Amino acid sequence: MGGVGGILLDGSALLAAVADEHGNASLRPGAEYLLRKLRYSSIPTASFLERTAKTYSFECFTVDLPSIDNTVNEIALAWPASGGSFLLVVSDCNKDASRELRSRGWLIIMLNTGIVGACENSGMLYIDKLEELPLTVFHLNRKAIGNDNVMVGYIMKQSREEDFMKRGAFPTNPTQNGLIFVPITFEFSISSQLQEIDVVLHKATDEIVSVEMSTSSEFFDKITFTRGMQELERYIEHHPNICVVDPLNNVYPVLDRLTIQQILVGLENLNMEGRCKIRAPHFLKVNNFNEPNLAQRLLEAKLTPPSIVKPQVACGVADAHSMAIVFRAEDYSGLSVPLPAVVQEYVDHSSSLYKFYVLGEKVFYAVKKSMPNADSLIKLSEKNGLKPLLFDSLKSLPTAKENQDCGVQEDCKTGNCHQMDLGLVTDAAGWLQRKLDLTIFGFDVVIQEKSGDHVIVDVNYLPSFKEVPDNIAIPAFWDAIKSKYESTRLIK
């Protein structure tokens, strides 16, 4: 197999040289970053520090230089199937352990030496910061395994990355279809990290600093990304041969609820007689909740109360998910939803939301509990004088007591419920994929009770798809990335 078969972390590499204010040993800068990356990697990892090993679910070995062979044998027995080289990560203040293990065929990663370059042939590699280790491991694996695999560099916020890593989505060793994943960090030069990368997978919305919109403009005036994301964007522009999942220009429409609504209007071209209808919800852009003719505009847009009000900016900023359900036209005045906003038809849907995930050529879905029908919401709001229900869609949704039984769809006993037409929604998924030119995205569908209309109420980029079993979703995720890479190569 080759490559890196196991990593042993010496305390001298993990701990700061100076204790904290309480006299306790603390982790050096970069240690937590590295430990998080190694925790869910496919590489066996151990530490000489018992507390660190316990915290990050690593194995713990003790080392006694006079009996170093016992430690080496213990590690070999613990990692019998690794089939690669063992690495000791150590600082230059613990040269005894590095010398002993190096003489037994281990590769030594020496930290904080100030030496530029590497001497791999002599069993030594040098890094200045712990954050460099994942990329070092990546280079070692690629050298050992060869260039037949596709190298995928990924960048996203820590919580999202860990969610994917826990499910085995970003293995360091090759996947079944030949992908090797390596994290990209903005702590170092982007160009130095991407020289051997074939595919960049990103969640650019995690790197948005601000979004500027003017009420006179239909779309965003300016999206400002972090400095690191701007550097990555420039690198991609100057290296068109690199595959990006997905190009920022393809992602931008998903950041704008108005743009997505306008795109979804085209779903009407998929409808055929004798089949359920799939459509966008009725909607209206609002720049000012106090405008005198708002009530008339709402009626002309086929929007009758209740309606759901959402910021036009769909993600990437703090208040993108601050929403409201409004029950009376006069209550729009002074509404505390960020402007510009999109007023959207509230669809009675028996509290069932169908979450669809498109991973390349594969389409999956899961059913989730959702908000109750309008009559239940009205009863809930009556307790507060029918004032708008304000909520953050990422944290909690308005619910009613009669809507708490997860085993029964609301109002199904009345015969108002309709079965989902999977073929119709799958056709819509293909249509959306062609329209947006996205590799991995999700969308939400509700089924209107009385009409049976299938209404797509939301679209998002690179969702977690955690509702789909990992043994099904993760291989499809890998296949989607590989197919995108292969198709990009054919075009270029």
Side-chain angles (χ1 to χ4, degrees):
M1 292 174 58
V4 176
I7 298 175
L8 182 59
L9 302 168
D10 185 69
S12 67
L14 295 178
L15 298 179
V18 180
D20 63 20
E21 58 184 5
H22 303 292
N24 299 318
S26 58
L27 294 176
R28 72 165 68 231
E32 187 177 351
Y33 169 89
L34 174 63
L35 293 169
R36 290 199 310 266
K37 295 290 187 290
L38 293 177
R39 182 175 187 174
Y40 301 110
S41 75
S42 53
I43 299 176
T45 303
S47 173
F48 288 148
L49 301 175
E50 183 177 357
R51 183 178 177 181
T52 300
K54 184 177 181 180
T55 301
Y56 290 92
S57 304
F58 297 152
E59 295 185 78
C60 183
F61 298 112
T62 57
V63 60
D64 180 22
L65 291 180
S67 58
I68 189 70
D69 287 330
N70 292 335
T71 302
V72 171
N73 291 334
E74 185 182 359
I75 294 172
L77 289 173
W79 300 338
S82 63
S85 301
F86 290 162
L87 271 59
L88 172 67
V89 184
V90 63
S91 80
D92 56 357
C93 65
N94 190 5
K95 295 181 179 179
D96 291 338
S98 61
R99 182 178 60 254
E100 293 295 333
L101 288 176
R102 179 183 173 193
S103 68
R104 287 161 175 79
W106 281 54
L107 181 60
I108 308 303
I109 308 293
M110 189 69 72
L111 178 68
N112 283 351
T113 62
I115 298 175
V116 178
C119 305
E120 186 180 344
N121 292 335
S122 64
M124 300 283 290
L125 288 172
Y126 303 97
I127 60 177
D128 287 327
K129 296 182 179 181
L130 287 174
E131 294 95 332
E132 297 176 48
L133 185 63
L135 192 61
T136 302
V137 170
F138 162 75
H139 289 310
L140 291 170
N141 282 340
R142 182 159 202 178
K143 182 176 180 180
I145 298 169
N147 295 327
D148 294 335
N149 295 285
V150 177
M151 308 300 163
V152 183
Y154 62 89
I155 181 72
M156 57 189 64
K157 67 182 180 181
Q158 175 188 328
S159 59
R160 195 183 311 279
E161 177 190 21
E162 289 191 0
D163 178 67
F164 275 102
M165 292 184 73
K166 287 176 185 178
R167 295 150 60 199
F170 296 152
T172 310
N173 293 323
T175 64
Q176 59 197 30
N177 66 339
L179 303 182
I180 296 178
F181 288 84
V182 60
I184 299 171
T185 174
F186 293 143
E187 295 296 319
F188 306 115
S189 164
I190 288 295
S191 59
S192 65
Q193 297 178 73
L194 298 189
Q195 289 177 4
E196 297 182 50
I197 296 296
D198 302 304
V199 179
V200 171
L201 173 71
H202 69 85
K203 182 77 171 181
T205 53
D206 291 343
E207 300 297 325
I208 293 177
V209 175
S210 64
V211 178
E212 296 178 18
M213 295 194 67
S214 65
T215 55
S216 61
S217 172
E218 284 288 290
F219 308 109
F220 298 144
D221 290 333
K222 184 180 180 181
I223 299 177
T224 303
F225 290 103
T226 59
R227 183 175 300 177
M229 193 65 202
Q230 292 178 41
E231 184 184 352
L232 177 60
E233 188 175 10
R234 287 192 295 271
Y235 182 92
I236 291 170
E237 288 176 356
H238 290 93
H239 297 81
N241 288 331
I242 198 167
C243 173
V244 183
V245 181
D246 278 299
L248 285 177
N249 286 338
N250 298 10
V251 176
Y252 285 148
V254 184
L255 310 185
D256 186 333
R257 289 191 173 98
L258 178 65
T259 301
I260 281 297
Q261 294 280 18
Q262 293 169 337
I263 289 172
L264 291 175
V265 169
L267 289 167
E268 63 185 22
N269 296 322
L270 299 179
N271 294 319
M272 296 183 294
E273 192 172 343
R275 194 179 189 184
C276 291
K277 180 188 293 185
I278 190 159
R279 64 176 179 87
H282 304 310
F283 67 94
L284 177 70
K285 177 179 177 177
V286 176
N287 296 322
N288 182 356
F289 290 128
N290 296 314
E291 62 178 273
N293 62 340
L294 180 57
Q296 181 61 34
R297 291 183 63 218
L298 290 168
L299 287 175
E300 291 172 353
K302 301 180 181 179
L303 290 167
T304 56
S307 296
I308 186 166
V309 187
K310 306 177 180 180
Q312 185 174 342
V313 180
C315 55
V317 295
D319 54 6
H321 300 278
S322 298
M323 303 181 184
I325 297 175
V326 179
F327 301 94
R328 300 175 302 196
E330 59 267 29
D331 289 331
Y332 282 97
S333 179
L335 189 65
S336 59
V337 173
L339 290 167
V342 175
V343 180
Q344 190 181 91
E345 168 192 10
Y346 190 86
V347 179
D348 279 348
H349 56 286
S350 306
S351 303
S352 291
L353 179 73
Y354 296 85
K355 297 193 73 68
F356 276 80
Y357 303 106
V358 180
L359 307 178
E361 298 178 355
K362 304 284 182 62
V363 179
F364 306 96
Y365 79 94
V367 186
K368 292 195 68 176
K369 196 75 172 174
S370 181
M371 291 185 288
N373 286 348
D375 55 353
S376 295
L377 289 175
I378 290 172
K379 291 177 183 178
L380 184 65
S381 183
E382 282 176 346
K383 301 175 183 178
N384 195 29
L386 277 180
K387 292 181 180 179
L389 293 176
L390 305 175
F391 63 99
D392 186 316
S393 63
L394 286 183
K395 298 177 181 178
S396 63
L397 299 176
T399 58
K401 289 184 179 180
E402 56 267 35
N403 190 44
Q404 295 302 310
D405 182 4
C406 293
V408 180
Q409 284 186 315
E410 183 183 14
D411 288 344
C412 275
K413 294 179 181 179
T414 67
N416 287 331
C417 292
H418 296 263
Q419 294 295 318
M420 181 186 63
D421 187 335
L422 182 57
L424 175 63
V425 184
T426 302
D427 289 344
W431 180 87
L432 262 177
Q433 188 172 49
R434 293 187 297 273
K435 197 77 175 176
L436 299 172
D437 195 15
L438 292 175
T439 307
I440 301 167
F441 67 97
F443 60 94
D444 297 342
V445 177
V446 296
I447 301 177
Q448 191 170 40
E449 273 199 357
K450 293 182 179 179
S451 67
D453 287 358
H454 291 43
V455 186
I456 297 181
V457 294
D458 191 26
V459 181
N460 53 87
Y461 169 67
L462 195 59
S464 67
F465 51 85
K466 63 177 66 177
E467 291 85 2
V468 183
D470 292 341
N471 64 326
I472 298 173
I474 299 304
F477 173 66
W478 294 336
D479 287 341
I481 295 172
K482 183 69 174 290
S483 295
K484 174 68 173 182
Y485 169 72
E486 291 176 339
S487 63
T488 302
R489 289 184 66 190
L490 289 175
I491 295 172
K492 294 177 179 178

